[in-house]
Amino acid sequence: MTSERYLWFVGDRLVVDAEGNYLHDQPAEQARFTLPVSRAGDDPALWLCSLDSDGPVTPSCRSESLRALLGNADEGEFARLSRAAQLNTWHRHHRFCSRCGAPTRLHNDDLAAHCDQCNYAQYPRISPCIIVLIRDGERCLLAHAAHYGPGRYSTLAGFIEAGETAEEAVRREVKEEVGVDVDNVRYAFSQSWPFPHALMLGFYADYAGGEITPDGVEILDAQWFGKQPLPDLPPPFTISRRLIDGFLASLD
Ligand SMILES: [Zn+2]
């Protein structure tokens, strides 16, 4: 018999027990809704229970940010938590039909928020983004974004616009954010990123000209970095760090 485990969300945070475990044996009693996270055949079957932000939580439990839990997760845990968090956010934000305004109902077969009034179905939202490491021989271009902590530098990223290919988005974002041109844009790997529902498509690109000119809004500074000295980099579980580590490994 398949066993079952439950993730309890309070808003966008996860409830953990006194030992820090986030997998619960029981569903949360006061859950506003419960959704399947695992796919057919997964053992244990995983569910998410969504509690109201001000809902009561068992006294011995506390809530933990998703970002903190992802920081310690292995690849399988990362995938499960990312999926669960995105489904939780999606369903909390799609309680009403975006076409006619009637309340939606969860469709069990294909995980859609279904409107019985006008028959419209809203599926979990996924927003494709590009993230790119620009290299010029033995150096790479990293940028300090306005929302980073002091000294943090990372790769460039941005949402793909309607009607645009991922490669076009790479060239546009790079030009907009730091003012340089790139070519030889090549896909590397992707990551599902649950803040709040991005699919990060990771690329490498070669510097093709232009002077670094940060846009001053999203990007406050950008510089070339070689193997040493490196600035403060994003944590290991991020795709940006994986791109940077891949670049550094190619220098060995
Ligand atoms: Zn409707």
Side-chain angles (χ1 to χ4, degrees):
M1 200 181 99
T2 307
S3 55
E4 301 197 322
R5 295 285 185 279
Y6 300 86
L7 298 163
W8 298 2
F9 282 90
V10 177
D12 56 6
R13 294 170 69 86
L14 277 147
V15 177
V16 300
D17 65 17
E19 281 81 47
N21 300 313
Y22 58 78
L23 289 176
H24 304 267
D25 294 333
Q26 303 291 332
E29 277 179 22
Q30 306 88 352
R32 193 210 296 222
F33 62 84
T34 301
L35 285 179
V37 176
S38 49
R39 296 180 170 88
D42 283 357
D43 189 11
L46 187 62
W47 297 77
L48 76 87
C49 303
S50 190
L51 295 146
D52 287 327
S53 297
D54 53 357
V57 177
T58 310
S60 62
C61 293
R62 65 179 196 279
S63 72
E64 187 80 75
S65 77
L66 179 65
R67 212 173 270 271
L69 291 170
L70 288 177
N72 296 315
D74 64 27
E75 209 171 314
E77 289 173 312
F78 189 101
R80 282 192 293 277
L81 285 172
S82 176
R83 175 171 164 79
Q86 290 180 63
L87 293 177
N88 179 49
T89 303
W90 161 69
H91 202 59
R92 285 171 62 218
H93 295 181
H94 291 81
R95 293 163 56 203
F96 297 93
C97 175
S98 61
R99 182 196 266 165
C100 78
T104 55
R105 173 178 66 80
L106 187 68
H107 195 286
N108 291 328
D109 294 339
D110 57 1
L111 210 56
H114 192 267
C115 174
D116 290 337
Q117 188 111 331
C118 77
N119 223 22
Y120 185 62
Q122 300 172 132
Y123 291 86
R125 186 175 171 193
I126 300 169
S127 303
C129 297
I130 59 87
I131 181 160
V132 56
L133 184 134
I134 304 160
R135 68 179 294 167
D136 179 29
E138 304 233 315
R139 56 185 196 161
C140 69
L141 197 158
L142 300 176
H144 177 74
H147 64 278
Y148 290 171
R152 165 72 54 89
Y153 281 75
S154 185
T155 50
L156 297 171
F159 289 103
I160 299 175
E161 294 185 349
E164 193 175 46
T165 67
E167 290 80 359
E168 287 165 350
V170 167
R171 293 191 184 87
R172 177 184 54 75
E173 283 287 345
V174 169
K175 189 74 177 176
E176 283 175 5
E177 293 190 345
V178 294
V180 305
D181 297 306
V182 292
D183 61 15
N184 194 21
V185 177
R186 53 213 184 269
Y187 175 73
F189 35 73
S190 65
Q191 183 181 47
S192 169
W193 184 247
F195 302 103
H197 37 62
L199 174 62
M200 307 297 293
L201 304 172
F203 288 86
Y204 287 102
D206 292 337
Y207 172 70
E211 196 175 323
I212 295 178
T213 314
D215 67 12
V217 180
E218 280 188 60
I219 301 299
L220 302 184
D221 186 40
Q223 296 180 31
W224 292 108
F225 292 94
K227 201 158 189 176
Q228 293 292 341
L230 284 165
D232 178 40
L233 298 175
F237 68 90
T238 60
I239 188 170
S240 48
R241 182 59 174 271
R242 211 175 141 200
L243 286 166
I244 295 166
D245 286 348
F247 161 74
L248 293 172
S250 76
L251 302 179
D252 291 334

